Amino acid sequence: MTIKVAVAGATGYAGGEILRLLLGHPQYLSGELQIGSLTGNSNAGQRVADIMPHLPQLADRVIEETSTEVLSGHDVVFLGLPHGFSAEIGAALDDDTLVIDCAADFRLKDAADWEKYYGSKHAGSWPYGIPEMPGHREELQGARRVAVPGCFPTGATLALIPAVEAGIIEADVAIVSITGVSGAGKKAAVPLLGSETMGSLKAYNTAGKHRHTPEIAQSLREVTDKDVNVSFTPVLAPLPRGILTTVTAPLVQGVTADVARKVYETFYADEPFVYVLPEGAQPQTQNVVGSNMCQVQVEVDAQAGKVLMTSAIDNLTKGTGGAAVQCMNIALGFEETAGLPRAAVAP
């Protein structure tokens, strides 16, 4: 049986990354997985060669309008659409179709959080696609609806969740994430022009205003019964790809650096896409570019009474497209690592 896959929003950065990974997927190379419809309203009628020349295998394919009719009949549908557009399509597709949403529409469980941050009616929640979180890999097995996490929540959650679950920190966390410009998507916008971003750093959506704040808190609350307080500050940097996240939280009395390190090494011992760096090494975005890896480091600042947790991911791979393919692999029973690079591009 051949599995037919469609990508809605194929010409955006998320859609393009999903396609890049699918083209190297062993099931695609063996003929068991076929790439079907590629849609994108603003580019409908154009050839892939004219929009995404980095995907030569699909050069002659033509982008179609995004509609339920075009997407129906596929076994897997990836939705790389703007927030608020996935709910209608997800509801209209057959229940047997695996729908993997890269937007925020189904990430939040709390309707009040959704309405506060997104300003529209809550569509519900789907299984949440961070397999490394306790119990989530099991939820994703055989699932037919999946919500891919935001890129910031992926980096922050993987940096934090071992410490929160083990209770080695107070869950009063300050997160700063430095991100490349591709995280804002492919749309034209003056603040994202090269002349506006090169040689400059800028914090934005500060003081609790960023939409990923409740998503991070939601993930942490899954592994603790204590109050969770999240302060999240994103910073825009002149990079195409990558997110470096630093998190500080109060140290629980009696916890040593050796204890903290053991917690992280044990938690991630069997995770193929999380690498706890050797003591003294620091995560760097250049070491994860193009890979589905998350590099993590944990340190204890005894003088300040804090734990410092740091992570680096490629926002388009582990932060979006790679996560989507990883979830597809789990849901369909493929090898979880299939088609997902662990080695980064260097230099």
Side-chain angles (χ1 to χ4, degrees), residues 178-180 182 239-244 285 288-289 313-316:
I178 303 170
T179 182
S182 62
L239 307 168
R241 291 173 175 248
I243 295 177
L244 180 71
T285 56
V288 295
V289 171
I313 62 170
D314 183 326
N315 58 293
L316 294 181

Side-chain angles (χ1 to χ4, degrees), residues 77-81 85-95 97-110 114 122-130 136 139-140 143-149 215 218 222 327:
V77 175
F78 291 98
L79 301 178
L81 304 173
F85 287 85
S86 302
E88 183 177 350
I89 292 176
L93 291 174
D94 192 89
D95 289 344
T97 303
L98 172 55
V99 183
I100 301 176
D101 183 24
C102 295
D105 294 36
F106 298 98
R107 294 174 189 161
L108 295 178
K109 297 176 182 177
D110 190 311
W114 172 268
H122 186 231
S125 62
W126 290 352
Y128 188 69
I130 298 185
H136 281 236
E139 289 181 10
L140 293 168
R144 285 299 173 263
R145 297 291 187 271
V146 175
V148 176
E215 189 179 338
Q218 173 179 280
E222 285 193 24
C327 289

Side-chain angles (χ1 to χ4, degrees), residues 100 282 308:
I100 301 176
Q282 284 296 327
L308 171 64

Side-chain angles (χ1 to χ4, degrees), residues 246-265:
T246 64
V247 188
T248 53
L251 174 69
V252 169
Q253 190 171 3
V255 174
T256 65
D258 288 343
V259 168
R261 183 158 199 83
K262 185 66 174 177
V263 164
Y264 274 71
E265 290 176 343

Side-chain angles (χ1 to χ4, degrees), residues 141-179:
Q141 291 170 355
R144 285 299 173 263
R145 297 291 187 271
V146 175
V148 176
C151 51
F152 285 130
T154 297
T157 299
L158 294 176
L160 267 164
I161 207 157
V164 175
E165 186 192 52
I168 63 172
I169 61 171
E170 303 293 345
D172 182 9
V173 301
I175 304 167
V176 177
S177 292
I178 303 170
T179 182

